[in-house]
Structures are given as structure tokens and as C-alpha cells.
Amino acid sequence: MTLDAPDFHVPTSWEQALAVKAAHPEAVPVAGGTDLMVEVNFDRRRPPALLDLTRVPELAAVDRVDGRVRLGAGVPYARMITELGSELPGLAMAARTVGSPQIRNRGTAGGNLGSASPAGDCHPPLLAAGAEVELASVRGVRRVPVAEFFTGPKRSVLEPDELIAAVHVAPATGPQQFAKIGPRNAMVIAVTAFALALHPEQRRVGTGIGSAAPTPRRATDAEEFLSGELAAAGLWSSRGPLPESLVTEFGNRVRAAASPIDDVRGSADYRRHVLAVLARRTLTWAWDAHRSTEQRTGRTA
């Protein structure tokens, strides 16, 4: 059987890309193609049209706007690692765990968000950092908190004529951590993943859960609990050791925020257990880093 080749659009500017998307809303954007081409190769998807964004220079830019990092949707994981490790450490950690060097050189944050997979590695650190997604069309530009971007498995608020332009993320003001678990150390989809960010200047904790619910999500109850307990005990200022009971309860509340399923990669019970472990570990690592910063500089939060 002969399959018709899809229409192929290759804009060379952002304005052209938006115009093509408006005229052909069925066109699927392609940058790295690391998710899409797997689906095409396994005959799970046959897009009627493709929109190649690799020649749009605006999407490859990393800028600082209003005190936040504006990460172009076409910036690959490899650049997140080499260029943003100090400003966005959680995102850089997650990028290091993605696939292989070839995939890290091609895959992008915009593609990860566009796929809207519950297991996307970028999603937990972006949630923990309180990022916003910049969406654009010929009708205008809007910014959506990443926590409101996902609407279901592989579904988002992205309109048919919209493209993801960038992600806006505030530079880290405290330690950040990311951890995931899979059948092996590389080249696998996470069984579950978790990200944590300490925001000492706001006396706030950020979290992000991946691959343990229909969409990536925050553990808001766990965030509020930990932030409040740290404040009540004066630990934000003193940077004293964390009580083990506090670490355990935080893990329990993160676990309660998940709603995983059984699948070929792991059972729901296993995912809940692992998520609690990852939450305890990342909190311990982040708090140890927070304390060591005070010891090196003599500063208090």
C-alpha cells in the first residue's frame, strides 16, 4: 500500500511560521522530532502536514526578560545543560537524564511541552519552578502557567492555530533537585519522576510530579505543608537540620498527590512508593545544599 506523503512547510521566520499554522492548523510542528518520528515509524500517527521549525532563528534564542529566563521553544536539551545549569539547575538536571546524546542534541523543551506526555522529563522541574508557557498565533500572544497547561494525557490548552514560542522561568534562588526512576539508567521513559525547588526568599517550596497521574502536576498540599512547617520552626532562617518526621510526612503527602495507573512500566502501588522515596531524597539533598550555602557564605535566608 502506498501512503501519501504529508505536506511539508518550512518557514524561515516566526511570522511565517504563525501564518502557516493559521492557514494549516492540521500541520504538526517539528523541531527535534524525537517524539513524533517514533509515532510515525511505528505507524501510530500519519500527520497530513508537517511544519518544520528548525529554520526559525527566534525559537533558538535564550534571553532574559523581566528578570526571568526566556527559553525559546527550539532550544535543545544539550544547551539547557551547558548554558543554564546555574540559573535553572532543576531543568538542567532533567535534561541530563533525557535519552542519549543524539536525542539531547535534537529534543527541545517546546517539543516536550507540545507532546504533553505525563512522562515528559521537562515538566516536573518547570512545575516546581513556577514556569509559564508562551503561546502565540496570528491572533496574539498569551502566557499560561505550566501548571494550567496540561488538560489530559497528551492534551493541552494549545489551540489549533497556536505554536509554543518559549518558556519563561525565574532563575533559581535556592537549591533545586530532579530525580526519576526507570528500568535502567538511560534511554527509557520514566516510571515516575519528581522535582523539587526551594524558594527561600519567598519561604516557599515548589514540586513537580511526572509519570504518576494523567497529567504532570504539583503536589500542592505537600508544598503548603512543608513551607508552613519550615516557617513555624524557624528553619528557613536558621537552616537547621530537618526532623526526620517532617521529611517522612512530606514524602507521604507527595505520594497522596499522585493518581498513577498500572502499565507495562510499573504498577500504581510501585509508583506511589517510589514517588514518596524520591520526594524524601530530593528534599534531603536540596536542604543539605541550602545549609551548606549558609555555611560557606555565612548568610541567612
Side-chain angles (χ1 to χ4, degrees):
M1 182 178 69
T2 302
L3 297 174
D4 293 334
D7 294 334
F8 200 71
H9 305 277
V10 190
T12 56
S13 72
W14 186 232
E15 291 75 14
Q16 289 179 6
L18 295 179
V20 171
K21 188 60 171 165
H24 304 278
E26 77 284 358
V28 177
V30 179
T34 55
D35 284 337
L36 176 63
M37 295 314 298
V38 171
E39 295 183 331
V40 171
N41 288 339
F42 282 92
D43 203 22
R44 297 172 185 157
R45 192 174 184 185
R46 290 292 171 185
L50 295 174
L51 177 57
D52 182 356
L53 298 174
T54 58
R55 300 186 188 183
V56 180
E58 294 91 332
L59 294 178
V62 178
D63 302 302
R64 278 74 187 171
V65 180
D66 298 328
R68 295 165 75 89
V69 176
R70 184 183 183 276
L71 180 68
V75 175
Y77 298 114
R79 285 183 58 196
M80 298 178 209
I81 297 167
T82 58
E83 299 178 25
L84 297 172
S86 60
E87 291 178 282
L88 308 178
L91 186 60
M93 289 177 190
R96 291 189 188 98
T97 73
V98 173
S100 63
Q102 296 92 331
I103 293 174
R104 291 192 290 274
N105 281 325
R106 295 293 300 171
T108 64
N112 208 218
L113 285 163
S115 297
S117 168
D121 290 316
C122 280
H123 305 155
L126 291 177
L127 284 164
E132 292 181 318
V133 185
E134 180 183 332
L135 307 177
S137 70
V138 294
R139 297 177 288 109
V141 178
R142 61 182 178 130
R143 282 165 58 168
V144 178
V146 72
E148 300 172 11
F149 179 76
F150 308 103
T151 59
K154 298 194 174 183
R155 299 197 304 274
S156 71
V157 299
L158 198 64
E159 296 290 342
D161 66 337
E162 285 184 317
L163 293 172
I164 298 173
V167 184
H168 295 254
V169 196
T173 57
Q176 298 182 354
Q177 285 290 335
F178 172 82
K180 73 178 185 181
I181 191 166
R184 59 185 184 182
N185 288 334
M187 299 292 288
V188 292
I189 299 173
V191 174
T192 192
F194 183 72
L196 180 136
L198 298 181
H199 305 281
E201 81 293 350
Q202 302 174 22
R203 302 293 198 266
R204 185 174 65 82
V205 176
T207 63
I209 294 173
S211 201
T215 65
R217 62 172 57 168
R218 293 167 53 197
T220 53
D221 177 64
E223 293 175 2
E224 294 169 1
F225 164 77
L226 181 58
S227 300
E229 291 296 312
L230 291 173
L235 290 171
W236 283 117
S237 298
S238 72
R239 304 197 191 201
L242 292 179
E244 187 61 34
S245 59
L246 183 61
V247 176
T248 299
E249 181 61 20
F250 176 69
N252 291 340
R253 291 183 183 233
V254 169
R255 177 175 58 198
S259 54
I261 61 171
D262 297 326
D263 64 16
V264 295
R265 290 181 287 122
S267 68
D269 286 343
Y270 177 69
R271 283 188 165 95
R272 289 190 184 94
H273 168 73
V274 167
L275 196 55
V277 173
L278 295 183
R280 294 196 301 267
R281 288 179 180 175
T282 53
L283 173 58
T284 301
W285 297 335
W287 193 256
D288 285 348
H290 185 53
R291 298 187 70 203
S292 66
T293 300
E294 190 274 335
Q295 291 168 0
R296 290 195 306 269
T297 64
R299 292 184 291 111
T300 58

